[in-house]
Amino acid sequence: MAMLKPPSLSKPFLSLFFLLLRKLAVGRRHRHRGRMAATKPIPPPPPLPGLLDRLHGRTLVVDVDAWILRRPVRAFPYFMLVAVEAGGFLRGLLLLLLYPLLCLLGARRAARAMAAVALVGLEEKEVARVGRAVLPKFFLEAAAAEGVATSRAAARVVAVSATFPRVMVDGFLREYVGVDAVVGPEVRSVGGVIAGLVDEEEDAEMAATRLRALFGGGEVEAAAAPGRKDAGGGAVGLVGSASSGRVHYLFSPYYCKETFAVSEADARGWRPLPRESYPRPLIFHDGRLAFAPTPPAALAMYTFLPFAVALVAFRTVAFSFLPYRLCFPVGALTGMHYRLVAGDRQSSGSGGGGRLYVCNHRTLLDPIIVAAALGKPVTAVTYSLSPVSELIAPIRTARLTRDRDEDQQNMAAVLARGDHLVVCPEGTTCREEYLLRLSPLFAELGVDANPVALDTRVGMFYGTSTKPGHKWMDPFYFMMNPSPAYRVEFLPPAGGVAAAEGSRRGDSIEVANRVQRELGRALGFQLTGLTRKDKYMTLAGNEGVVPAAPKNQS
């Protein structure tokens, strides 16, 4: 009797069954080689001074979640930041609503699920921009001083994260901690759009390729092997307590000659990384959210959003149509805080002309706040103001053309008419307590410069952004804050701006530097030589140049 053949419909299922068996076998072989069970206890690290000496000249493989960031590491705020900044408030709301369910999956599966909700469907380059320009601020605020010190002591550092996809932490770890390579869950992209996370086997292959490139050819194993001279006697691994039973395969004896595990109790005693100890100063950062969106904080933000829209409408109407002397009192009724340190505000400019006010740049509202503090109209010099902002602005604006002679003539004409002129020679906003280099053009107008020191405080939203197409919303986001604050201080005039034609350029630079020092002294800000170009290259990867504006016919 002929043997019965399985129906053709069963062939795909049989093929899938054997494929899964092969995957399982490969996964077991990979885990045998790449992961180690915590059957043998990992010793604790020596005291920090001794550990730093041991790391000198060696290769370090460090667990980001256990050593770089302070315990306990909460993944939700960082995924929430990516969801909101790269995907919008609706995606962030979806992540918040799903969070209670995701918590039931366990820490590791919950992190992968949050990554799927936050990242899938977004452009990979936009997520990378958020990882480079937004997340470093929040990672630095959560960094441990002891962990960062160990990373700075080693000759070469491989940072390993099992929680955060590499695209989210690469910018922070490379640019602000100074690691040489980052290993973490990889995203799968289709046409530049993230479709999900790759499996662990592909992760391992991609990590091996990256490490080969770092170590300069040959096998990764050879780079970390005890016999390699430039490895300083083999790689050192730093992990957390292996209570979960497994550690990342890069910490196995196959790669690390010795591995140390810090206990949960010891790690909880680590100090936050002081701002003055940042490996690289955090001068520029982007994004709208000014707080770490933990689940309670994110819930409070979404609850407040309807009221924020009403606040924006009321505050916009108040600043656009009310007399200047009423702007501060009406703004204060809605929760805005002002502190005015009044100097000589009322005298006229040289020869009866207008007065020149030179401000540091915090938000697009700076000239309006100065006008309200003066109680009289001013003209603001602008470069890349959006049509929406120009439409609702309650003050006159004069556009710059980036033609030095023409811009100088236009500003001189405004002053000659008797109008007060407000300029922000930094050329762009800076959120942190730093002053950018001042353009000396204002010092070549032949009038005294009146410095105005401005500072702002926000609690929920930043009123500045470099994201293309979103700058027109900058003033609205500032006014969406429940209690935004402005500090205005009028400083004594900076004399000596009138210079001979032959030495005007050098004298104007000296005046600009003197005004920068006075502003920095009044605000307690640190002076820098950075410019608008440096900011946009750091945050957006471009020089921040916009097309020349049409000439103002008024």
Side-chain angles (χ1 to χ4, degrees):
M1 189 173 75
M3 294 182 61
L4 293 177
K5 294 183 179 181
S8 59
L9 187 61
S10 65
K11 289 182 179 180
F13 294 98
L14 291 173
S15 301
L16 178 60
F17 175 73
F18 288 115
L19 176 61
L20 291 176
L21 284 179
R22 289 196 299 270
K23 285 277 187 180
L24 182 59
V26 171
R28 284 178 176 172
R29 288 196 301 270
H30 177 72
R31 285 194 295 270
H32 176 73
R33 177 191 176 198
R35 293 188 179 272
M36 62 178 180
T39 55
K40 180 181 178 181
I42 303 176
L48 186 61
L51 179 60
L52 298 181
D53 291 339
R54 185 175 300 211
L55 292 175
H56 180 70
R58 301 179 70 178
T59 297
L60 171 65
V61 183
V62 60
D63 187 338
V64 174
D65 308 333
W67 281 79
I68 304 299
L69 302 179
R70 298 196 319 277
R71 307 285 185 89
V73 177
R74 308 296 187 189
F76 176 85
Y78 305 100
F79 287 114
M80 187 67 174
L81 285 165
V82 175
V84 172
E85 302 293 355
F89 284 95
L90 288 180
R91 182 181 288 263
L93 179 60
L94 176 62
L95 178 60
L96 179 62
L97 294 177
L98 292 176
Y99 178 69
L101 298 177
L102 300 181
C103 290
L104 302 177
L105 301 177
R108 189 176 178 192
R109 289 192 178 94
R112 293 185 70 88
M114 284 189 284
V117 176
L119 304 182
V120 171
L122 300 178
E123 292 187 0
E124 185 175 0
K125 65 178 182 181
E126 178 62 16
V127 175
R129 185 194 71 84
V130 173
R132 182 182 63 252
V134 178
L135 296 183
K137 170 186 180 293
F138 298 93
F139 279 127
L140 284 169
E141 291 174 352
E146 291 81 357
V148 173
T150 59
S151 300
R152 303 290 291 175
R156 289 185 297 189
V157 182
V158 178
V160 180
S161 175
T163 302
F164 302 106
R166 186 182 61 85
V167 70
M168 288 177 55
V169 296
D170 191 82
F172 158 66
L173 293 171
R174 284 180 177 273
E175 298 179 16
Y176 290 92
V177 181
V179 308
D180 300 285
V182 180
V183 175
E186 297 286 347
V187 297
R188 189 189 307 278
S189 298
V190 178
V193 177
I194 296 177
L197 297 179
V198 303
D199 56 34
E200 293 182 0
E201 186 179 344
E202 279 190 78
D203 268 343
E205 294 174 356
M206 298 172 73
T209 302
R210 188 173 302 108
L211 294 180
R212 287 190 189 99
L214 167 67
F215 291 128
E219 293 294 325
V220 181
E221 294 86 345
R228 186 178 173 95
K229 294 182 179 179
D230 62 349
V236 178
L238 298 179
V239 299
S241 56
S243 58
S244 61
R246 294 192 305 175
V247 294
H248 196 280
Y249 70 90
L250 284 180
F251 298 104
S252 67
Y254 195 69
Y255 295 93
C256 296
K257 179 183 178 182
E258 50 186 351
T259 301
F260 302 105
V262 63
S263 67
E264 189 79 15
D266 290 341
R268 285 182 179 273
W270 285 353
R271 299 173 294 111
L273 182 65
R275 177 176 289 269
E276 58 272 14
S277 299
Y278 285 0
R280 171 186 171 185
L282 181 70
I283 300 176
F284 302 122
H285 58 87
D286 211 351
R288 292 298 189 185
L289 299 188
F291 64 100
T294 60
L299 179 61
M301 178 192 70
Y302 279 102
T303 304
F304 175 73
L305 277 181
F307 302 97
V309 174
L311 274 179
V312 167
F314 185 81
R315 289 167 175 171
T316 301
V317 170
F319 275 91
S320 298
F321 299 105
L322 291 181
Y324 292 113
R325 66 179 182 276
L326 297 180
C327 288
F328 281 177
V330 173
L333 291 177
T334 67
M336 298 186 72
H337 297 278
Y338 306 96
R339 182 184 177 190
L340 177 60
V341 183
D344 182 15
R345 297 178 291 160
Q346 304 299 330
S347 62
S348 62
S350 303
R355 219 173 182 199
L356 174 65
Y357 294 95
V358 181
C359 314
N360 61 302
H361 203 4
R362 301 298 277 181
T363 75
L364 288 180
L365 296 176
D366 291 345
I368 301 174
I369 296 298
V370 172
L374 292 171
K376 59 182 66 175
V378 300
T379 299
V381 171
T382 67
Y383 169 53
S384 58
L385 196 65
S386 69
V388 174
S389 298
E390 280 193 308
L391 180 65
I392 66 173
I395 59 176
R396 291 187 295 271
T397 59
R399 278 185 172 267
L400 293 179
T401 63
R402 294 300 184 186
D403 182 300
R404 189 178 189 85
D405 294 335
E406 183 176 355
D407 291 338
Q408 182 179 345
Q409 293 174 5
N410 290 339
M411 288 191 290
V414 171
L415 293 170
R417 292 199 304 263
D419 294 345
H420 297 312
L421 184 66
V422 176
V423 299
C424 300
E426 285 180 292
T428 188
T429 57
C430 183
R431 298 174 175 178
E432 297 298 321
E433 296 182 350
Y434 294 92
L435 286 179
L436 308 186
R437 189 179 71 194
L438 304 188
S439 169
L441 182 61
F442 73 89
E444 300 175 6
L445 298 176
V447 298
D448 287 345
N450 298 270
V452 183
L454 301 175
D455 196 11
T456 58
R457 291 291 182 269
V458 295
M460 189 171 288
F461 302 107
Y462 284 116
T464 59
S465 175
T466 61
K467 189 175 182 179
H470 289 248
K471 288 186 65 63
W472 66 274
M473 299 187 69
D474 286 359
F476 300 117
Y477 271 104
F478 180 83
M479 290 187 288
M480 282 172 63
N481 283 282
S483 299
Y486 244 105
R487 179 183 182 275
V488 186
E489 181 177 358
F490 290 88
L491 304 178
V497 295
E501 187 69 28
S503 60
R504 173 170 296 181
R505 179 64 176 170
D507 290 345
S508 65
I509 293 176
E510 173 58 31
V511 171
N513 292 339
R514 185 166 68 249
V515 171
Q516 186 194 39
R517 289 193 297 270
E518 292 177 1
L519 291 173
R521 189 178 303 111
L523 295 168
F525 287 5
Q526 186 174 337
L527 310 185
T528 75
L530 302 176
T531 64
R532 172 190 176 93
K533 177 180 177 180
D534 297 310
K535 172 184 173 179
Y536 275 82
M537 288 300 296
T538 299
L539 301 181
N542 59 64
E543 297 184 3
V545 177
V546 299
K551 295 182 180 180
N552 192 347
Q553 300 298 329
S554 60

